[in-house]
Amino acid sequence: MSAECIFCRIVAGEVPADVVHRDDDVVAFRDLSPKAEVHVLVVPVRHVPDVVALGAADPQLLASLVRVAGEVAAEQGDGQFRLVFNTGAAAGQTVFHAHGHVLAGAGAADVGL
Ligand code: AMP
């Protein structure tokens, strides 16, 4: 855990969040500034800076994160979703704890890209 990392602090329960999934490896919570009807962030409990580092450090954990993203999309909507990993500041990453944006429902197809 990194004391300066906002997502580590959410995972630890030190900062409140609207958590929709929690297990030993992965936590999912609603984005503070939603860009679509469903906008949930799926994060590993373990602190790694981005999705590439996550895949290199623990491929199984990345697979778990993708599974949870699908479960969240099925629970919160009809199971169709976009999964976006901004990687690097120039690509729009602002929190350097790996996270996937689950975007679903109204507005999801209109976000970025
Ligand atoms: P990114 O720009 O890809 O790094 O995504 C970071 C996301 O985290 C943004 O969509 C923010 O709205 C979201 N965010 C930042 N702080 C919080 C927080 N405390 N709770 C929920 N979402 C947050």
Side-chain angles (χ1 to χ4, degrees):
M1 164 162 177
S2 161
E4 300 82 42
C5 172
I6 184 70
F7 287 177
C8 281
R9 298 187 68 204
I10 288 173
V11 165
E14 295 174 6
V15 169
D18 187 354
V19 173
V20 299
H21 174 95
R22 178 185 285 276
D23 62 39
D24 289 346
D25 302 315
V26 179
V27 176
F29 51 91
R30 294 188 196 282
D31 196 292
L32 214 50
S33 305
K35 302 293 190 294
E37 184 178 1
V38 176
H39 187 173
V40 170
L41 301 174
V42 182
V43 315
V45 167
R46 173 179 178 180
H47 180 91
V48 286
D50 61 42
V51 66
V52 175
L54 174 60
D58 192 339
Q60 191 56 49
L61 181 53
L62 176 56
S64 296
L65 189 149
V66 173
R67 173 181 50 76
V68 169
E71 291 172 359
V72 166
E75 288 162 11
Q76 306 285 326
D78 66 1
Q80 301 179 74
F81 65 107
R82 298 172 71 188
L83 183 56
V84 176
F85 293 91
N86 295 329
T87 306
Q93 187 176 6
T94 58
V95 178
F96 292 85
H97 179 131
H99 56 281
H101 295 254
V102 176
L103 298 156
D110 304 322
V111 179
L113 293 187

